[in-house]
Amino acid sequence: MVIGVLASGKGSNLRVIIESIKSGSLPVDIGIVLSDNPEAGALKIAKEKGVKALYVPPGRHKTFLEKEVEKKYVSALKEAKVELVCLSGFMRVIKEEFFSAFSGKILNIHPSLLPAFPGLQAWKQAIEAGVKFSGCTVHFVERDVDAGPIVMQAVVPIEEDDTPETLHHRIQKKEHIIYPLSIRLFAENRLRIKGRRVAVL
Ligand code: GRF
């Protein structure tokens, strides 16, 4: 199966996905990496590792891509024969062009135990709320932000002296385990969406 990765930031999840493919534990190919940020670490990692990567200018909006720009993203993914889109720290809400081209074929990783703390800086929200545990969630992407059916979650404790940075670091270590694993389950055709729930065969 060919996957496409969309990333705006440092790209640690992309790195782990590439390493998992190389070590043989993730049976997919990355067709293309797309970014809305020309400085994204993810673009550098892709180039270093010999994975095709492209900066696609995001247009004039800050939080989403306008229709014409979405079309460019979708056609780059289609041209690369992508069958599963993996959002990996992509900082824009995706809309109709993506949903009509890749319905049920878009995954995201979010740094909290959804439905708690959707939105930005979820690790900071968790500390501010005083919860004792947080974690990360891989979910299918639907029109509501950070709200689609959940594939997998991992839990981390929150320590008294945690800062947003130390907690995010602890959460990311778990992301690096559950994202490749979830992508693998999808590639092996073992995920079935039943309403709000995802069954793993
Ligand atoms: C992760 O914390 C992920 O949960 C969130 O964005 C961050 C991306 O991190 N959606 P990286 O760029 O893969 O290191």
Side-chain angles (χ1 to χ4, degrees):
M1 171 168 290
V2 179
I3 70 166
V5 178
L6 267 59
S8 308
K10 69 178 193 285
S12 68
N13 281 284
L14 172 67
R15 183 187 292 284
V16 169
I17 291 168
I18 295 172
E19 283 165 3
S20 305
I21 294 169
K22 292 209 164 135
S23 74
S25 63
L26 182 56
V28 301
D29 288 321
I30 301 182
I32 194 159
V33 173
L34 298 176
S35 184
D36 59 335
N37 170 14
E39 306 301 326
L43 287 176
K44 291 191 193 92
I45 292 170
K47 282 176 189 151
E48 253 170 56
K49 304 273 186 187
V51 173
K52 188 175 176 203
L54 213 58
Y55 160 64
V56 182
R60 60 204 156 98
H61 301 288
K62 282 213 156 65
T63 55
F64 65 96
L65 306 167
E66 61 203 81
K67 198 178 165 77
E68 291 313 308
V69 179
E70 274 211 333
K71 281 187 178 162
K72 287 187 188 160
Y73 275 77
V74 167
S75 61
L77 293 164
K78 288 285 178 196
E79 217 168 281
K81 307 230 177 323
V82 164
E83 298 162 271
L84 171 69
V85 178
C86 299
L87 305 182
S88 191
F90 189 63
M91 298 307 286
R92 287 167 198 271
V93 176
I94 62 166
K95 292 182 180 285
E96 282 320 307
E97 297 299 318
F98 276 95
F99 292 118
S100 56
F102 293 103
S103 170
K105 294 176 180 170
I106 309 172
L107 291 177
N108 182 43
I109 176 102
H110 182 79
S112 75
L113 295 173
L114 290 172
F117 313 127
L120 296 177
Q121 295 194 314
W123 56 89
K124 198 166 165 212
Q125 296 184 50
I127 289 185
E128 282 165 3
V131 294
K132 301 294 186 193
F133 293 90
S134 190
C136 48
T137 303
V138 177
H139 64 95
F140 282 99
V141 176
E142 289 187 342
R143 284 165 181 77
D144 291 337
V145 177
D146 296 333
I150 291 171
V151 176
M152 208 177 276
Q153 293 184 303
V155 179
V156 304
I158 298 181
E159 311 292 350
E160 268 175 37
D161 58 354
D162 262 331
T163 62
E165 292 72 32
T166 58
L167 177 58
H168 189 206
H169 181 70
R170 192 174 308 121
I171 290 172
Q172 285 225 283
K173 285 193 189 163
K174 296 286 187 188
E175 292 182 359
H176 299 161
I177 298 169
I178 68 169
Y179 210 11
L181 216 51
S182 300
I183 295 169
R184 180 182 179 142
L185 291 174
F186 185 96
E188 292 174 343
N189 195 23
R190 289 168 61 195
L191 300 178
R192 295 289 178 277
I193 302 175
K194 295 180 180 166
R196 299 297 309 152
R197 310 185 72 162
V198 178
V200 179
L201 305 183

